[in-house]
Amino acid sequence: MPTTKSLLELRVERNAALGRDLDSESSPPRARRAISAHSAPISWPLAEWYLGGVLYRIHTPRVILMHARRLATLAVLALSTVSRSAVRAQQTPAPAASRATPSDAELLAIIKQRIAEKRSAGIVIGVLHPDGHTQLVAAGDPGPGRPPLDGNSVFEIGSITKVFTSTVLASLVEEGKVRLDDPVQKYLPASVKIPTLSGKPITLALLSEQRSGLPRLPDNMHPADPTNPYADYSVQQMYDFLSHYQLTRDPGETFEYSNLGVGLLGHVLSLATGRPYEQLVRDRVLEPLGMTHTSIALTPWMRDHLALGHDPQGKVVANWDLPTLAGAGALRSTTLDMLKFVDAYLQPRPGTLGKAMTLAQHERAPAGAMSIGLNWMIAHFGTDTIVWHNGGTGGYRTYVGFVPSRKLGVVVMTNSGGAGADDIGMHLLRPELPLAPPPAPVPQRRAIEVAPDILARYVGRYQLAPEFILDVTVTDGKLFVHPTGQPVLRLWAEAETRFFLKEVDAVITFERDAGGAVTGLVLHQNGQNMPGKRLP
């Protein structure tokens, strides 16, 4: 996940409409109503721990700090076309007659507008056309000392990793090594107890369909470094959480996006095969497709081509590490490599991998206003079916989608943890779906002084949703709020009980009982009033 400011968004889960908010999935135009990555969820800008897309997502509510910053210079423009059969090879111009709209100039205009509106640092767009040629257009700031953005620039792809995990799952199913209806418990140590409800177990399929009933994230994540929130979360911590967690709904009852669930799936597939997760993905997907610049651990080449991520304030941020929940969002890749992946899904080849890709994109269950396959989100618009997923980490937002019937695919990579790329991807796949308008400017408010003893009364934890808490603290006589998995932000008083954020158009009002004790707060944002009860 403005002007030079941040945008604080609250995304509230609407199970009935993915078109409103997905960490993955919804019907685009309506999706932007997301009270509003990443999801994918109160998106977190991955500062939100978000791992998923910003637009068109369904998640549990959370606050996401999103940004777009002004660039001092337009670092680079790369315009090129490549033969689909040579996505792995050197780029070659496509015949003029074969070019489809939008043109390179139109793609560039989209990128330049996004940069001019300070919603992205840099963007790379790849379009795989039905006639066999691929467009690549790149512009923006790759970060200090980095090479110009192009198809070889490396980005964190966040939750797009999930469809690699599901592709591995499907390949193992095709080989008869696991079954979709296998209980997760089957592959874990006896000391670990996976929760059940109504006698229904959580299966491999339910993890991949986002219907396991597990929460978006475990509540025992307490990162020592909030800028790299998954780095120190251990397997034992995950086991402890699972063994004590009580499901609130039956497995398979409803769609509920869960980074934990797919991270667990990647871990289980590793245990089932005796292979590290990254090696599984390399052996079963990356090497067969010639995706030589996709991995979790950065190779020297990838490190040299890494586009630096930027936080909501426009500062360069550290990359994320997800050792335990790797299957949910740990991969890094390039636009050219991702186009190979899309091409393989559009034209599944004979053999296990092709069969796995066909299985993975098959609709399996409802997901709000959309459907879901094995982690792939599926949306229908007229005669078009769009298969897609998005991703996000602290400094990146990414999108991949394709229309199987038209052999059309799109990859969008950005190195800003801000507005995201979902709307660009959806628009390029189906032009009737509009690009997201720039956010309204944050109104100016006047701050006043409030006595330290009054501020001290507001210190506490306030729960707005099962997995979303606002932690209010006082430091050096100033009030701060720390949303779950998000950066700490200062609160400025405009009245004794009413505080605002300077970065975004959001206000928090504290509520008191008849005796003056603070009992809760209300977050006012985007026309919504969202109450949060003070926790003991």
Side-chain angles (χ1 to χ4, degrees):
M1 32 235 246
T3 58
T4 54
K5 304 173 183 177
S6 307
L7 169 65
L8 183 67
E9 293 193 329
L10 179 72
R11 298 181 177 280
V12 176
E13 177 181 40
R14 301 276 184 108
N15 286 335
L18 184 103
R20 299 191 180 106
D21 193 334
L22 167 153
D23 180 7
S24 229
E25 298 82 39
S26 99
S27 73
R30 304 186 206 105
R32 289 187 208 98
R33 296 172 50 196
I35 311 181
S36 244
H38 148 127
S39 165
I42 229 178
S43 271
W44 93 20
L46 264 7
E48 124 200 279
W49 302 2
Y50 145 97
L51 283 187
V54 173
L55 294 175
Y56 308 121
R57 289 190 312 193
I58 286 184
H59 352 206
T60 54
R62 67 179 154 180
V63 172
I64 176 170
L65 189 66
M66 302 173 64
H67 108 311
R69 70 187 183 87
R70 184 182 190 104
L71 299 176
T73 60
L74 186 64
V76 64
L77 162 66
L79 301 176
S80 59
T81 57
V82 301
S83 164
R84 166 175 288 177
S85 63
V87 169
R88 308 177 182 85
Q90 184 173 344
Q91 300 176 12
T92 58
S98 70
R99 289 183 55 175
T101 56
S103 66
D104 287 348
E106 289 169 322
L107 293 179
L108 176 59
I110 291 173
I111 296 175
K112 291 177 71 175
Q113 180 177 358
R114 196 59 60 101
I115 292 171
E117 292 170 348
K118 306 171 185 177
R119 289 193 276 170
S120 290
I123 300 176
V124 181
I125 297 175
V127 182
L128 193 60
H129 289 276
D131 64 2
H133 81 278
T134 299
Q135 288 174 278
L136 279 173
V137 179
D141 182 5
R146 311 309 299 170
L149 293 177
D150 60 18
N152 284 317
S153 298
V154 175
F155 297 78
E156 292 184 342
I157 63 172
S159 280
I160 293 176
T161 302
K162 292 179 172 68
V163 296
F164 285 85
T165 302
S166 63
T167 303
V168 170
L169 168 63
S171 72
L172 292 171
V173 169
E174 290 294 336
E175 292 181 352
K177 294 183 178 179
V178 302
R179 294 171 54 90
L180 288 175
D181 60 0
D182 279 345
V184 175
Q185 186 69 65
K186 174 180 177 180
Y187 299 102
L188 291 171
S191 59
V192 181
K193 303 300 180 184
I194 294 294
T196 62
L197 191 62
S198 303
K200 299 176 181 178
I202 296 174
T203 65
L204 300 183
L206 294 180
L207 290 179
S208 191
E209 296 166 5
Q210 298 286 13
R211 298 192 301 138
S212 67
L214 293 174
R216 181 178 187 82
L217 289 170
D219 64 10
N220 62 344
M221 289 184 71
H222 306 293
D225 179 5
T227 68
N228 194 0
Y230 293 90
D232 57 359
Y233 190 71
S234 69
V235 171
Q236 187 58 52
Q237 284 177 293
M238 179 175 68
Y239 285 172
D240 290 343
F241 175 82
L242 293 169
S243 295
H244 295 92
Y245 184 72
Q246 295 184 348
L247 295 173
T248 59
R249 58 180 59 86
D250 288 350
E253 180 179 327
T254 190
F255 174 90
E256 183 176 6
Y257 197 88
S258 175
N259 286 323
L260 169 62
V262 187
L264 173 61
L265 176 61
H267 177 72
V268 166
L269 296 180
S270 177
L271 293 179
T273 59
R275 307 281 284 175
Y277 173 79
E278 184 173 15
Q279 189 64 49
L280 267 181
V281 176
R282 181 177 298 116
D283 292 346
R284 292 181 169 272
V285 182
L286 305 180
E287 289 187 355
L289 299 183
M291 298 177 67
T292 55
H293 302 312
T294 301
S295 67
I296 294 175
L298 291 170
T299 65
W301 185 96
M302 292 176 69
R303 195 173 297 281
D304 288 343
H305 290 79
L306 178 68
L308 302 183
H310 298 77
D311 71 7
Q313 288 74 40
K315 298 178 182 178
V316 172
V317 297
N319 293 108
W320 278 12
D321 300 297
L322 294 84
T324 296
L325 302 179
L331 285 172
R332 288 86 180 240
S333 188
T334 69
T335 304
L336 281 173
D337 262 15
M338 289 304 301
L339 287 170
K340 297 175 187 178
F341 186 63
V342 172
D343 188 39
Y345 259 96
L346 284 172
Q347 302 186 100
R349 60 188 64 187
T352 298
L353 181 56
K355 292 178 181 178
M357 289 181 160
T358 299
L359 173 62
Q361 62 182 295
H362 178 72
E363 290 185 65
R364 299 183 57 84
M370 299 189 301
S371 300
I372 189 169
L374 294 178
N375 277 116
W376 282 108
M377 299 308 300
I378 302 169
H380 298 285
F381 302 99
T383 58
D384 283 345
T385 295
I386 297 178
V387 182
W388 69 286
H389 211 289
N390 54 15
T393 57
Y396 303 84
R397 292 289 184 274
T398 53
Y399 172 94
V400 59
F402 54 93
V403 180
S405 64
R406 292 196 282 128
K407 305 301 180 186
L408 175 66
V410 170
V411 175
V412 186
M413 308 279 240
T414 76
N415 62 332
S416 294
D422 297 19
D423 65 313
I424 296 175
M426 289 293 192
H427 175 72
L428 294 178
L429 290 174
R430 189 170 176 87
E432 296 91 331
L433 302 176
L435 293 170
V442 178
Q444 298 299 309
R445 293 186 169 91
R446 186 174 65 86
I448 65 171
E449 294 293 327
V450 173
D453 62 317
I454 294 177
L455 295 181
R457 300 174 190 173
Y458 302 136
V459 172
R461 301 171 73 242
Y462 302 82
Q463 186 171 43
L464 280 73
E467 301 170 51
F468 185 62
I469 292 173
L470 298 181
D471 189 2
V472 177
T473 58
V474 171
T475 302
D476 296 330
K478 302 177 180 64
L479 198 66
F480 294 86
V481 60
H482 185 190
T484 298
Q486 309 300 316
V488 176
L489 302 171
R490 183 175 175 183
L491 293 174
W492 301 81
E494 61 179 4
E496 187 174 294
T497 61
R498 186 177 175 88
F499 295 76
F500 65 92
L501 291 92
K502 289 188 175 181
E503 296 86 353
V504 301
D505 187 12
V507 172
I508 288 177
T509 301
F510 289 95
E511 297 183 322
R512 298 184 289 199
D513 60 19
V518 178
T519 59
L521 59 72
V522 178
L523 172 62
H524 310 276
Q525 190 174 14
N526 296 326
Q528 303 292 318
N529 301 308
M530 294 153 280
K533 181 180 179 181
R534 188 174 191 172
L535 298 176

